Amino acid sequence: MLDCKHNTELLSQSYDRPLTLREKMAMRMHLLMCRGCRNFEKQLAFIRKAARELPRKL
Amino acid sequence: MSAIDPEALQQQRSYLLRYAMLQLRDPHLAEDVVQETLVAAIENRSGFAAQSQPRTWLVGILKHKIMDVLRKRAREPQLSVAEGEDENELVDALFRQNGRWASPPQNWNEPEQAMENAHFWEVFEQCNRRMPLNSARAFMMREFMEMSTDEICHELSISTTNCWVILHRARLVLRECLDLNWFGNAR
Ligand SMILES: [Zn+2]
């Protein structure tokens, strides 16, 4: 089973490279059972969006 | 219109400085690249296409100047190891020995609304500045300048794996900072 530390690595890397099918499955399994990582997943999406908005907000 | 008013260029100066500071985090260096950018812009102002925004055009030039500085830095051998270690410690503190969250992330309340709030953007900018230098540099290239991971690895002369690790740490650190200084307050 994937732990939270490695799961957050995969979540983050999904923004930088295509994940393999196996990685995606492991990640989804973990997310089903872990609320902390589900929150983290949403927050990562927000951080990407906000960082890309920042040049317009300076 | 084939030229741009030098005065209009100067008006963009403070924006360009803040942009450069986020990436370089050194007021003198930032000042230098902005100065170079404005000089280059004035010299090439006939090349400015009337249909594009002055800011967009200037930022395009500025990005190149910033990349020149970063490229030079990447060639210097000491990419501050000590700083990298601090970062490791910080990230390690987020997880227990068994790999689970030491303190699992809580839900963020209405993040979309935060984006409408000017004070949120101040906090966001400060959090970016507080990131360790290596992380900030890669993160800003990835998200702020929207470069590909391949380009970043290449420019910083680091391996792809290392690049992913650095970007991940940057996001973890930024998330902590936003949680502590913005979203946590609403709980
Ligand atoms: Zn988890």
Side-chain angles (χ1 to χ4, degrees):
Chain A
M1 241 295 284
L2 203 60
D3 62 30
C4 296
K5 189 175 181 184
H6 290 105
N7 187 51
T8 59
E9 286 169 12
L10 286 185
L11 282 167
S12 186
Q13 284 176 24
S14 72
Y15 285 92
D16 302 317
R17 68 172 174 97
L19 299 184
T20 66
L21 190 59
R22 182 190 287 255
E23 286 169 333
K24 278 187 210 163
M25 300 272 288
M27 198 174 83
R28 287 294 139 211
M29 283 296 290
H30 181 101
L31 286 170
L32 276 175
M33 288 177 294
C34 180
R35 183 191 296 266
C37 283
R38 281 201 298 276
N39 284 331
F40 182 79
E41 182 189 29
K42 277 186 258 165
Q43 291 161 7
L44 267 192
F46 174 76
I47 284 171
R48 153 72 50 113
K49 200 172 162 193
R52 298 203 160 187
E53 189 64 23
L54 181 60
R56 278 176 289 280
K57 300 289 180 179
L58 281 186
Chain B
M1 192 183 96
S2 63
I4 182 166
D5 182 5
E7 224 169 276
L9 288 181
Q10 284 298 336
Q11 279 168 11
Q12 301 288 343
R13 194 185 167 82
S14 70
Y15 176 83
L16 298 175
L17 262 178
R18 295 178 73 190
Y19 192 109
M21 263 304 284
L22 270 175
Q23 187 62 261
L24 297 171
R25 300 224 265 156
D26 175 327
H28 297 293
L29 270 180
E31 188 74 43
D32 286 350
V33 290
V34 168
Q35 198 53 41
E36 281 176 33
T37 299
L38 291 173
V39 169
I42 290 166
E43 278 171 0
N44 299 301
R45 62 188 194 267
S46 57
F48 173 66
Q51 69 274 16
S52 67
Q53 298 291 317
R55 181 171 286 184
T56 312
W57 179 61
L58 288 167
V59 167
I61 302 174
L62 181 63
K63 278 185 184 177
H64 281 107
K65 302 284 179 198
I66 291 173
M67 286 315 304
D68 286 344
V69 173
L70 294 180
R71 232 174 262 141
K72 248 182 255 164
R73 284 231 186 128
R75 267 189 252 115
E76 291 163 9
Q78 75 293 3
L79 250 170
S80 55
V81 181
E83 215 160 24
E85 282 168 0
D86 285 354
E87 243 165 292
N88 272 334
E89 272 171 33
L90 202 150
V91 172
D92 285 344
L94 295 175
F95 298 96
R96 295 179 204 280
Q97 290 266 274
N98 63 8
R100 308 198 65 154
W101 290 102
S103 139
Q106 306 273 304
N107 185 48
W108 282 356
N109 221 357
E110 318 255 15
E112 298 299 322
Q113 265 180 24
M115 290 177 74
E116 306 300 320
N117 187 326
H119 185 217
F120 167 78
W121 290 104
E122 284 169 27
V123 171
F124 193 80
E125 198 181 334
Q126 279 163 17
C127 284
N128 276 291
R129 287 195 191 189
R130 253 187 255 163
M131 251 193 255
L133 196 55
N134 283 349
S135 295
R137 205 172 276 163
F139 180 77
M140 286 285 119
M141 284 180 175
R142 182 78 187 102
E143 308 297 2
F144 189 62
M145 292 162 96
E146 300 194 29
M147 292 167 66
S148 74
T149 320
D150 285 343
E151 280 176 290
I152 297 167
C153 305
H154 181 74
E155 295 293 353
L156 296 178
S157 315
I158 55 178
S159 71
T160 316
T161 318
N162 202 350
C163 206
W164 292 331
V165 171
I166 290 175
L167 285 169
H168 175 50
R169 284 195 201 141
R171 295 182 181 119
L172 282 175
V173 171
L174 183 55
R175 197 211 75 84
E176 282 301 304
C177 185
L178 290 176
D179 195 71
L180 285 172
N181 296 291
W182 186 266
F183 293 104
N185 296 339
R187 257 173 233 138

